[in-house]
Amino acid sequence: MTLRQAQDERVDAQLAGGSSGPARHVAIIMDGNGRWAKKRLLPRAVGHKRGVDAVREVVRAARHMGLEALTLYAFSSENWKRPEDEISDLMGLLRAFIRSDIEEFAANDVRLKIIGDYKVLPPDIVKLIEDALARTAHNSRTTLAVALNYGSQQEIARAAAAAAAKGAVTVAAIEAELDTADLPPLDLLIRTSGEVRLSNFLLWQAAYAEMWFTDVLWPDFTPGHLREALDHFATRERRYGGR
Ligand code: FPP
């Protein structure tokens, strides 16, 4: 989809309102890896590792369920405040995930996309990411957008500054500069582990999204839970401020 088509569709959808139809773009705040591990007296790193296993299954499910985009909050701009060894575990998992799963994405028409400023990650990971982006750039079935060093307020500020530099600070002009500009509108935002907040994730994009909060801890999240959230979404009537 071109940027222009994405914007036109967003405006059309907002004007039309009415029943939601199937979701096209789902985003997930994957929370609860630490608590999952703690409950089992395991190191946090094991919780994160099981979290990656859940990511793999959910990406496969998103593809089978026909989602056009799945956006996952993997590492926030605030996660740098975590202890160094945990950051290093998360980077190690990210490195291993790209290495092991890129073939599957390439073979199954999955396009990888990154939102956030990933260029400050360790240089070997930046290289792996850029190779994976190039390798899957022409895939079009499902986009897997991974948020890395991502903060929504920073994204909005950057987008507004870019729009201003081009001369117009309008909603459409800011949207066109967001990291998600080439994705369909966000339909459904899921957060696991019982926390009910957005934590600086997709604040702009969530303006008309449905929200689905579940107590399930991320490593226990299965394609069945995604199905449940999508079924719920399909019953919602979205009015975009109208009646
Ligand atoms: C929250 O659990 C989860 C994260 C901080 C990161 C999510 C990361 C992954 C699922 C693994 C890496 C992802 C990819 C795509 C390779 P938490 O540690 O905040 O859990 P807690 O709130 O129970 O302590």
Side-chain angles (χ1 to χ4, degrees):
M1 177 180 318
T2 66
L3 184 53
R4 164 57 51 200
Q5 283 167 332
Q7 281 162 357
D8 287 350
E9 285 197 19
R10 190 167 294 138
V11 171
D12 286 349
Q14 290 178 4
L15 290 175
S19 86
S20 45
R24 299 170 63 198
H25 181 183
V26 173
I28 310 181
I29 302 176
M30 310 179 290
D31 199 6
N33 297 347
R35 275 161 286 166
W36 184 94
K38 195 170 178 188
K39 266 176 43 182
R40 290 163 178 78
L41 306 177
L42 292 167
R44 287 180 71 79
V46 178
H48 290 314
K49 189 164 188 308
R50 293 295 293 269
V52 176
D53 294 339
V55 166
R56 186 168 292 119
E57 291 304 319
V58 166
V59 174
R60 284 180 187 148
R63 178 163 58 79
H64 290 305
M65 292 174 191
L67 287 184
E68 287 172 52
L70 175 69
T71 302
L72 300 178
Y73 206 6
F75 195 86
S76 77
S77 46
E78 287 76 34
N79 284 153
W80 296 110
K81 295 181 207 148
R82 294 196 176 205
E84 226 170 88
D85 60 341
E86 184 172 0
I87 294 174
S88 163
D89 288 339
L90 285 167
M91 291 300 145
L93 286 169
L94 177 62
R95 191 179 277 120
F97 175 73
I98 300 171
R99 283 201 185 116
S100 63
D101 287 53
I102 183 64
E103 290 305 330
E104 185 172 330
F105 298 157
N108 289 291
D109 208 9
V110 173
R111 178 175 76 114
L112 180 70
K113 174 180 169 75
I114 305 294
I115 63 170
D117 183 10
Y118 69 90
K119 302 221 170 159
V120 305
L121 298 182
D124 70 301
I125 297 186
V126 173
K127 165 99 177 64
L128 277 173
I129 288 173
E130 290 184 342
D131 288 349
L133 292 176
R135 198 122 178 248
T136 62
H138 300 293
N139 290 352
S140 60
R141 179 168 166 153
T142 301
T143 296
L144 169 63
V146 181
L148 292 173
N149 189 28
Y150 174 86
S152 183
Q153 291 173 332
Q154 296 89 322
E155 177 196 29
I156 294 167
R158 221 170 32 233
K166 292 181 185 169
V169 186
T170 61
V171 169
I174 292 173
E175 269 192 355
E177 301 294 342
L178 294 173
D179 294 358
T180 51
D182 61 339
L183 299 180
L186 181 63
D187 293 309
L188 175 65
L189 178 69
I190 297 172
R191 181 167 189 151
T192 60
S193 91
E195 308 294 345
V196 183
R197 55 178 176 267
L198 292 181
S199 300
N200 206 14
F201 187 53
L202 302 182
L203 303 179
W204 178 291
Q205 295 85 341
Y208 289 103
E210 294 290 328
M211 307 278 176
W212 177 261
F213 297 101
T214 172
D215 288 339
V216 173
L217 302 176
W218 176 250
D220 290 330
F221 192 89
T222 63
H225 295 115
L226 178 62
R227 181 76 272 159
E228 196 187 334
L230 287 170
D231 287 348
H232 171 81
F233 174 83
T235 68
R236 304 299 301 154
E237 188 187 337
R238 296 167 90 196
R239 291 199 278 265
Y240 301 98
R243 309 187 49 192

